[in-house]
Short mmCIF file of all heavy atoms in Angstrom, two decimals:
data_model
loop_
_atom_site.label_atom_id
_atom_site.label_comp_id
_atom_site.label_asym_id
_atom_site.label_seq_id
_atom_site.Cartn_x
_atom_site.Cartn_y
_atom_site.Cartn_z
N LEU A 1 0.50 25.61 8.57
CA LEU A 1 1.02 25.46 7.20
C LEU A 1 0.52 24.20 6.56
O LEU A 1 0.20 24.21 5.33
CB LEU A 1 2.54 25.45 7.25
CG LEU A 1 3.26 25.54 5.88
CD1 LEU A 1 2.84 26.74 5.05
CD2 LEU A 1 4.82 25.46 6.03
N LEU A 2 0.45 23.08 7.27
CA LEU A 2 -0.04 21.83 6.78
C LEU A 2 -1.44 21.91 6.30
O LEU A 2 -1.85 21.40 5.25
CB LEU A 2 0.15 20.71 7.75
CG LEU A 2 -0.31 19.29 7.39
CD1 LEU A 2 0.44 18.84 6.16
CD2 LEU A 2 -0.14 18.30 8.53
N HIS A 3 -2.27 22.53 7.11
CA HIS A 3 -3.74 22.64 6.76
C HIS A 3 -3.89 23.52 5.52
O HIS A 3 -4.69 23.20 4.65
CB HIS A 3 -4.44 23.25 8.01
CG HIS A 3 -5.88 23.60 7.66
ND1 HIS A 3 -6.92 22.61 7.76
CD2 HIS A 3 -6.53 24.74 7.22
CE1 HIS A 3 -8.06 23.18 7.38
NE2 HIS A 3 -7.87 24.44 7.05
N ILE A 4 -3.15 24.60 5.45
CA ILE A 4 -3.25 25.47 4.29
C ILE A 4 -2.78 24.79 3.02
O ILE A 4 -3.46 24.87 2.01
CB ILE A 4 -2.42 26.74 4.52
CG1 ILE A 4 -3.02 27.61 5.64
CG2 ILE A 4 -2.32 27.62 3.25
CD1 ILE A 4 -2.14 28.75 6.12
N ALA A 5 -1.72 23.98 3.15
CA ALA A 5 -1.20 23.23 1.96
C ALA A 5 -2.20 22.23 1.52
O ALA A 5 -2.46 22.07 0.27
CB ALA A 5 0.10 22.60 2.29
N ILE A 6 -2.79 21.47 2.42
CA ILE A 6 -3.83 20.46 2.11
C ILE A 6 -5.05 21.11 1.44
O ILE A 6 -5.58 20.65 0.47
CB ILE A 6 -4.19 19.65 3.28
CG1 ILE A 6 -3.04 18.80 3.78
CG2 ILE A 6 -5.40 18.71 3.00
CD1 ILE A 6 -3.27 18.09 5.08
N ALA A 7 -5.51 22.26 2.04
CA ALA A 7 -6.69 22.92 1.54
C ALA A 7 -6.48 23.48 0.13
O ALA A 7 -7.39 23.31 -0.75
CB ALA A 7 -7.05 24.08 2.48
N LEU A 8 -5.31 24.03 -0.11
CA LEU A 8 -5.01 24.59 -1.42
C LEU A 8 -4.88 23.47 -2.43
O LEU A 8 -5.37 23.58 -3.57
CB LEU A 8 -3.76 25.46 -1.42
CG LEU A 8 -3.86 26.77 -0.67
CD1 LEU A 8 -2.50 27.48 -0.61
CD2 LEU A 8 -4.92 27.66 -1.29
N SER A 9 -4.26 22.39 -2.10
CA SER A 9 -4.08 21.26 -3.02
C SER A 9 -5.43 20.67 -3.34
O SER A 9 -5.72 20.35 -4.51
CB SER A 9 -3.18 20.19 -2.36
OG SER A 9 -3.21 18.99 -3.12
N LEU A 10 -6.28 20.50 -2.35
CA LEU A 10 -7.59 19.96 -2.50
C LEU A 10 -8.50 20.79 -3.39
O LEU A 10 -9.11 20.41 -4.32
CB LEU A 10 -8.28 19.67 -1.19
CG LEU A 10 -9.58 18.88 -1.13
CD1 LEU A 10 -9.38 17.53 -1.82
CD2 LEU A 10 -10.06 18.70 0.26
N PHE A 11 -8.48 22.16 -3.03
CA PHE A 11 -9.31 23.07 -3.80
C PHE A 11 -8.85 23.17 -5.26
O PHE A 11 -9.69 23.07 -6.16
CB PHE A 11 -9.25 24.41 -3.21
CG PHE A 11 -9.99 25.50 -3.99
CD1 PHE A 11 -11.34 25.57 -4.03
CD2 PHE A 11 -9.19 26.40 -4.71
CE1 PHE A 11 -11.98 26.53 -4.83
CE2 PHE A 11 -9.83 27.37 -5.54
CZ PHE A 11 -11.21 27.45 -5.51
N GLY A 12 -7.58 23.23 -5.47
CA GLY A 12 -7.02 23.32 -6.85
C GLY A 12 -7.33 22.12 -7.71
O GLY A 12 -7.79 22.27 -8.83
N SER A 13 -7.03 20.92 -7.15
CA SER A 13 -7.29 19.71 -7.93
C SER A 13 -8.74 19.48 -8.14
O SER A 13 -9.13 19.00 -9.24
CB SER A 13 -6.65 18.52 -7.17
OG SER A 13 -7.15 18.41 -5.88
N CYS A 14 -9.57 19.76 -7.17
CA CYS A 14 -11.05 19.61 -7.40
C CYS A 14 -11.60 20.52 -8.47
O CYS A 14 -12.38 20.11 -9.28
CB CYS A 14 -11.79 19.83 -6.03
SG CYS A 14 -11.51 18.54 -4.83
N ALA A 15 -11.18 21.77 -8.45
CA ALA A 15 -11.65 22.77 -9.39
C ALA A 15 -11.22 22.40 -10.80
O ALA A 15 -11.98 22.45 -11.79
CB ALA A 15 -11.17 24.16 -9.02
N ILE A 16 -9.96 21.92 -10.94
CA ILE A 16 -9.46 21.58 -12.25
C ILE A 16 -10.15 20.32 -12.75
O ILE A 16 -10.51 20.24 -13.92
CB ILE A 16 -7.87 21.34 -12.20
CG1 ILE A 16 -7.18 22.64 -11.89
CG2 ILE A 16 -7.38 20.72 -13.47
CD1 ILE A 16 -5.74 22.48 -11.60
N TYR A 17 -10.31 19.32 -11.88
CA TYR A 17 -10.94 18.10 -12.30
C TYR A 17 -12.43 18.32 -12.71
O TYR A 17 -12.87 17.78 -13.76
CB TYR A 17 -10.92 17.02 -11.17
CG TYR A 17 -11.71 15.82 -11.54
CD1 TYR A 17 -11.18 14.87 -12.42
CD2 TYR A 17 -12.94 15.59 -11.02
CE1 TYR A 17 -11.95 13.76 -12.77
CE2 TYR A 17 -13.68 14.47 -11.37
CZ TYR A 17 -13.22 13.59 -12.22
OH TYR A 17 -13.93 12.47 -12.65
N MET A 18 -13.10 19.09 -11.95
CA MET A 18 -14.54 19.27 -12.23
C MET A 18 -14.70 19.94 -13.63
O MET A 18 -15.60 19.52 -14.44
CB MET A 18 -15.21 20.11 -11.17
CG MET A 18 -16.70 19.95 -11.14
SD MET A 18 -17.38 20.46 -9.55
CE MET A 18 -19.05 19.88 -9.68
N ALA A 19 -13.93 20.94 -13.92
CA ALA A 19 -14.03 21.62 -15.20
C ALA A 19 -13.52 20.74 -16.31
O ALA A 19 -14.20 20.61 -17.36
CB ALA A 19 -13.20 22.94 -15.19
N GLY A 20 -12.37 20.09 -16.09
CA GLY A 20 -11.81 19.24 -17.18
C GLY A 20 -12.68 18.02 -17.46
O GLY A 20 -12.90 17.68 -18.64
N SER A 21 -13.19 17.34 -16.45
CA SER A 21 -13.97 16.15 -16.72
C SER A 21 -15.31 16.51 -17.33
O SER A 21 -15.87 15.70 -18.13
CB SER A 21 -14.22 15.39 -15.37
OG SER A 21 -14.96 16.21 -14.53
N PHE A 22 -15.82 17.71 -17.03
CA PHE A 22 -17.04 18.11 -17.69
C PHE A 22 -16.85 18.38 -19.24
O PHE A 22 -17.68 17.98 -20.04
CB PHE A 22 -17.63 19.37 -17.07
CG PHE A 22 -18.91 19.80 -17.60
CD1 PHE A 22 -20.11 19.10 -17.39
CD2 PHE A 22 -19.00 20.97 -18.39
CE1 PHE A 22 -21.29 19.50 -17.95
CE2 PHE A 22 -20.23 21.44 -18.89
CZ PHE A 22 -21.35 20.71 -18.70
N VAL A 23 -15.67 18.97 -19.53
CA VAL A 23 -15.31 19.12 -20.94
C VAL A 23 -15.23 17.76 -21.65
O VAL A 23 -15.71 17.57 -22.78
CB VAL A 23 -14.02 19.94 -21.09
CG1 VAL A 23 -13.52 19.94 -22.52
CG2 VAL A 23 -14.18 21.33 -20.60
N CYS A 24 -14.63 16.78 -20.97
CA CYS A 24 -14.49 15.45 -21.56
C CYS A 24 -15.88 14.81 -21.74
O CYS A 24 -16.13 14.16 -22.75
CB CYS A 24 -13.64 14.53 -20.58
SG CYS A 24 -11.92 15.03 -20.50
N ALA A 25 -16.77 15.03 -20.80
CA ALA A 25 -18.15 14.50 -20.93
C ALA A 25 -18.86 15.10 -22.14
O ALA A 25 -19.57 14.38 -22.89
CB ALA A 25 -18.92 14.78 -19.62
N LYS A 26 -18.61 16.41 -22.34
CA LYS A 26 -19.25 17.07 -23.49
C LYS A 26 -18.72 16.47 -24.81
O LYS A 26 -19.46 16.19 -25.74
CB LYS A 26 -18.94 18.56 -23.41
CG LYS A 26 -19.64 19.29 -22.26
CD LYS A 26 -21.14 19.53 -22.55
CE LYS A 26 -21.31 20.63 -23.56
NZ LYS A 26 -22.78 20.92 -23.72
N TYR A 27 -17.41 16.27 -24.89
CA TYR A 27 -16.83 15.66 -26.05
C TYR A 27 -17.36 14.23 -26.31
O TYR A 27 -17.66 13.87 -27.44
CB TYR A 27 -15.28 15.60 -25.94
CG TYR A 27 -14.61 16.81 -26.56
CD1 TYR A 27 -14.18 17.87 -25.73
CD2 TYR A 27 -14.36 16.86 -27.92
CE1 TYR A 27 -13.54 18.98 -26.28
CE2 TYR A 27 -13.73 17.99 -28.44
CZ TYR A 27 -13.30 19.03 -27.63
OH TYR A 27 -12.67 20.09 -28.16
N TYR A 28 -17.48 13.45 -25.25
CA TYR A 28 -17.92 12.12 -25.36
C TYR A 28 -19.39 12.06 -25.81
O TYR A 28 -19.78 11.23 -26.69
CB TYR A 28 -17.85 11.43 -23.99
CG TYR A 28 -18.51 10.07 -23.87
CD1 TYR A 28 -18.02 9.03 -24.57
CD2 TYR A 28 -19.64 9.90 -23.07
CE1 TYR A 28 -18.65 7.79 -24.51
CE2 TYR A 28 -20.24 8.66 -23.02
CZ TYR A 28 -19.79 7.62 -23.72
OH TYR A 28 -20.39 6.38 -23.67
N MET A 29 -20.20 12.95 -25.29
CA MET A 29 -21.60 12.96 -25.69
C MET A 29 -21.73 13.43 -27.15
O MET A 29 -22.63 12.98 -27.85
CB MET A 29 -22.41 13.91 -24.78
CG MET A 29 -22.46 13.51 -23.34
SD MET A 29 -23.34 12.04 -23.06
CE MET A 29 -23.29 11.89 -21.22
N ARG A 30 -20.85 14.29 -27.58
CA ARG A 30 -20.98 14.81 -28.96
C ARG A 30 -20.59 13.74 -29.99
O ARG A 30 -21.09 13.79 -31.10
CB ARG A 30 -20.00 15.97 -29.11
CG ARG A 30 -20.20 16.78 -30.38
CD ARG A 30 -19.25 17.96 -30.45
NE ARG A 30 -17.84 17.55 -30.59
CZ ARG A 30 -16.80 18.36 -30.73
NH1 ARG A 30 -17.05 19.67 -30.70
NH2 ARG A 30 -15.55 17.91 -30.79
N GLU A 31 -19.76 12.77 -29.59
CA GLU A 31 -19.30 11.76 -30.53
C GLU A 31 -20.22 10.56 -30.61
O GLU A 31 -19.94 9.63 -31.41
CB GLU A 31 -17.91 11.29 -30.14
CG GLU A 31 -16.84 12.35 -30.23
CD GLU A 31 -16.58 12.74 -31.64
OE1 GLU A 31 -16.57 11.89 -32.49
OE2 GLU A 31 -16.43 13.99 -31.88
N ARG A 32 -21.33 10.53 -29.88
CA ARG A 32 -22.24 9.39 -29.93
C ARG A 32 -23.69 9.85 -29.86
O ARG A 32 -23.94 10.99 -29.51
CB ARG A 32 -21.95 8.43 -28.74
CG ARG A 32 -22.02 9.13 -27.40
CD ARG A 32 -21.94 8.15 -26.26
NE ARG A 32 -23.16 7.33 -26.11
CZ ARG A 32 -23.31 6.34 -25.26
NH1 ARG A 32 -22.36 5.97 -24.49
NH2 ARG A 32 -24.45 5.68 -25.21
N SER A 33 -24.57 8.93 -30.26
CA SER A 33 -26.00 9.27 -30.23
C SER A 33 -26.45 9.20 -28.78
O SER A 33 -26.23 8.21 -28.08
CB SER A 33 -26.80 8.27 -31.05
OG SER A 33 -26.54 6.95 -30.66
#
């Protein structure tokens, strides 16, 4: 159960962060030359 909980937490947070931070990078690039 501990391994499954860690794996799901890690996978979920990594997937959310990668998509969200990429969106932030796109916004940041759009606002500057």
Side-chain angles (χ1 to χ4, degrees):
L1 186 61
L2 179 59
H3 175 84
I4 294 172
I6 293 173
L8 290 177
S9 172
L10 188 58
F11 173 76
S13 58
C14 290
I16 293 170
Y17 173 76
M18 201 161 189
S21 63
F22 182 70
V23 171
C24 292
K26 293 283 286 185
Y27 267 99
Y28 169 68
M29 297 295 182
R30 192 178 67 177
E31 294 295 318
R32 54 172 289 174
S33 57

